[in-house]
Amino acid sequence: MTDVSCLETTKLSLLRELFASATHDASAAMCCWTNSLITLTLDEVCEVPLQSVCTDLNLGDEPLTMVVFNLDGGAGGAMILTFTEESARRLAASLLETDVQGSPDWNELERSALTETGNILGCAYVNAITRLIDHQVVPSPPHFVVDFGASVLEQALLGQVGATDTVLIGRTRFQHRDAELNWWLLFIPTTALRAVMERGLPVTP
Amino acid sequence: MFPGIEKNLAREMPVGMGQAVVTREPARLTSILGSCVAITMYAPKLQLGILSHVVLPNANGSVAVPAKFADSAVPYMISVMQDRGVKLGELVAKVAGGACMFGGGRFMDIGEHNARVAIAELEAAHIPIIGRDIAGNVGRRICFDLSTGTLTVESPGHPSRII
């Protein structure tokens, strides 16, 4: 991913620590929920030009299965949990202890299983951020969406794009034991939340 | 690659958020849209076209990235086309996008607002809008074919449209 490095390097590094800590909490919650060894690792925190963000995040041009939250509070943002369809179907089948469904549609149980996964992940992630920056952020009810990743990301970025032509995004990846899963968690703060996060960073000597 | 479109020598050029790209046949300009709006202008005789991927309705005085805002994108696109020898009366326009995605939160009206301002600006410039595919609550993958001026629009779960 292009790293424009408009942020001071130190600030970006501290933001990575903040995101890594939230990822750790979300990882623990995910292990409990899936009763397996699915872990989360912070992939990157970066500031990228608006015009290349969808390409840089490699969201592709095929529809993805997503669970999306708006983050409310004085300063908010959005979180997007993305899966390829195959990954999403495998996870739903695993949680529901069924075989992978061949139907092109998502039934209520499958939607519910994925939405709850997003809810658990998102809440753990947001709770950690809230604790670390001492600022209340409240996730909305999750939305189950099957759409183009770039289309959903566009709307999630609206809280940043008015003020700047670069955007800050934290991306987390998932693993099952040592195998990479085609899941990603994107954390997109608004400009206001980004400022709160930067103010809340510990000052290093 | 878009299904149903034969692969030929035409270049496929993605247009990112806030970008405008002008080119001529053989080429296809592509974008994926949610609340954003794509404005296309086309000069059929020259097979020259421009696509702006508009993010927000109003620039409010910001001039750095004119294609990012609907109200600054239209005059910018006109000037780019005129610089290439196109007369205003030769231009036709299309507009696509402006969806309200996943409930939208505090930004739920932005897509509609983007489309409304884009259309108003085109009308004010007396450029005929010969196709539009706007609003709704699903994303769009679009392909602007400079050889014909057609805009192919695809959305998950919907048949593709050509406008």
Side-chain angles (χ1 to χ4, degrees), chain A residues 17-194:
Chain A
E17 285 179 27
L18 175 68
F19 279 101
S21 187
T23 300
H24 177 268
D25 285 18
S27 188
M30 194 64 188
C31 274
C32 283
W33 167 242
T34 58
N35 196 26
S36 67
L37 290 173
I38 290 178
T39 55
L40 285 68
T41 309
L42 181 65
D43 191 35
E44 53 193 335
V45 178
C46 52
E47 191 175 42
V48 291
L50 181 63
Q51 63 187 42
S52 64
V53 61
C54 296
T55 313
D56 287 347
L57 288 174
N58 202 18
L59 292 171
D61 61 0
E62 294 300 323
L64 298 172
T65 306
M66 291 169 274
V67 180
V68 187
F69 308 78
N70 290 309
L71 304 177
D72 300 320
M79 291 182 77
I80 309 173
L81 175 62
T82 75
F83 309 91
T84 58
E85 178 171 351
E86 184 189 2
S87 304
R89 294 214 179 266
R90 269 201 218 136
L91 173 63
S94 162
L95 292 170
L96 298 169
E97 298 181 344
T98 60
D99 294 330
V100 175
Q101 301 297 308
S103 160
D105 298 323
W106 291 91
N107 66 39
E108 275 307 312
L109 271 177
E110 290 171 317
R111 286 170 179 257
S112 177
L114 293 177
T115 303
E116 189 55 21
T117 302
N119 201 27
I120 287 165
L121 261 180
C123 286
Y125 206 97
V126 167
N127 284 345
I129 295 238
T130 294
R131 190 179 66 248
L132 292 164
I133 63 173
D134 194 23
H135 177 85
Q136 188 74 18
V137 180
V138 183
S140 72
H143 300 272
F144 178 88
V145 180
V146 178
D147 211 320
F148 300 119
S151 301
V152 170
L153 182 66
E154 272 184 9
Q155 184 132 351
L157 286 170
L158 289 175
Q160 284 195 50
V161 294
T164 172
D165 296 322
T166 59
V167 291
L168 177 78
I169 294 181
R171 181 169 71 172
T172 297
R173 60 192 163 88
F174 295 75
Q175 288 175 300
H176 179 244
R177 296 193 170 90
D178 289 332
E180 290 286 332
L181 296 171
N182 288 321
W183 311 0
W184 303 95
L185 181 67
L186 304 177
F187 185 92
I188 303 131
T190 58
T191 306
L193 180 57
R194 176 176 166 175

Side-chain angles (χ1 to χ4, degrees), chain B residues 2 7 10 16 18 22 24 45 47-48 51 74 81 84 88-89 92 102 105 115-116 118 128 137 144-145 151 159:
Chain B
F2 277 66
K7 191 169 186 175
V22 62
R24 65 175 68 241
K45 278 185 190 167
Q47 292 181 306
L48 179 74
L51 187 156
V74 170
M81 293 298 270
R84 282 158 180 77
L88 192 60
V92 290
F102 63 87
R116 197 167 54 236
N137 57 9
F144 180 29
D145 186 339
L151 195 64

